[in-house]
Amino acid sequence: MKDCLFCKIAAGEIPCTKVYEDEDTLAFRDIAPQAPVHVLVIPKKHVSGLSEARGESDKALAHLLRVAADVARKEGVEESGYRVVTNCGRDAQQSVPHLHLHVLGGRGLNGEMA
Ligand code: AMP
């Protein structure tokens, strides 16, 4: 989608620090990490957020979760634990309107969210 930051990252028009990529999915480091491990997992296809993902297949949505878990393992936080968060809409302070999962770990996260 034109003018979408994460679409531009997925298209390689804006650089990112890539952690994982496949045909449908990209995982890259958050530019303002809230934890030692802070990776964003996105579908390459533009979907504004979780509420707009109704038209996506269960397989596509499950794949995002699987990639999040694979990233956590690859980043070495599977054993210590990690959090997967998606912010949806205004009250959640979603700042980038392209569906993304935050994968956070590497320190005790207490009650905070990304
Ligand atoms: P959210 O507030 O849940 O929409 O999360 C958006 C996330 O995108 C924030 O954690 C930002 O730090 C992150 N972010 C914004 N711009 C970039 C960028 N160019 N590269 C990587 N992460 C970014």
Side-chain angles (χ1 to χ4, degrees):
M1 189 196 190
K2 204 172 163 284
D3 295 333
C4 169
L5 174 63
F6 286 177
C7 282
K8 286 181 179 170
I9 288 177
E13 293 166 14
I14 291 177
C16 71
T17 306
K18 198 182 295 180
V19 170
Y20 172 83
E21 181 172 20
D22 64 33
E23 199 179 329
D24 304 312
T25 317
L26 180 67
F28 54 96
R29 297 199 189 285
D30 195 291
I31 204 167
Q34 306 296 311
V37 173
H38 189 171
V39 174
L40 302 174
V41 179
I42 67 166
K44 289 184 177 176
K45 177 184 170 189
H46 184 80
V47 178
S48 303
L50 193 59
S51 295
E52 289 75 31
R54 271 182 232 101
E56 304 308 308
S57 69
D58 290 353
K59 191 176 169 196
L61 292 174
H63 184 64
L64 282 182
L65 269 184
R66 188 178 302 282
V67 169
D70 287 348
V71 163
R73 186 170 60 248
K74 200 171 156 190
E75 293 288 310
V77 295
E78 185 179 62
E79 201 181 314
S80 52
Y82 59 94
R83 182 169 292 154
V84 178
V85 175
T86 189
N87 293 317
C88 190
R90 188 187 56 229
D91 280 358
Q93 298 184 13
Q94 180 182 4
S95 62
V96 179
H98 182 127
L99 178 61
H100 51 282
L101 304 182
H102 296 257
V103 180
L104 296 144
R107 67 170 173 82
L109 292 165
N110 305 317
E112 79 221 60
M113 304 287 194

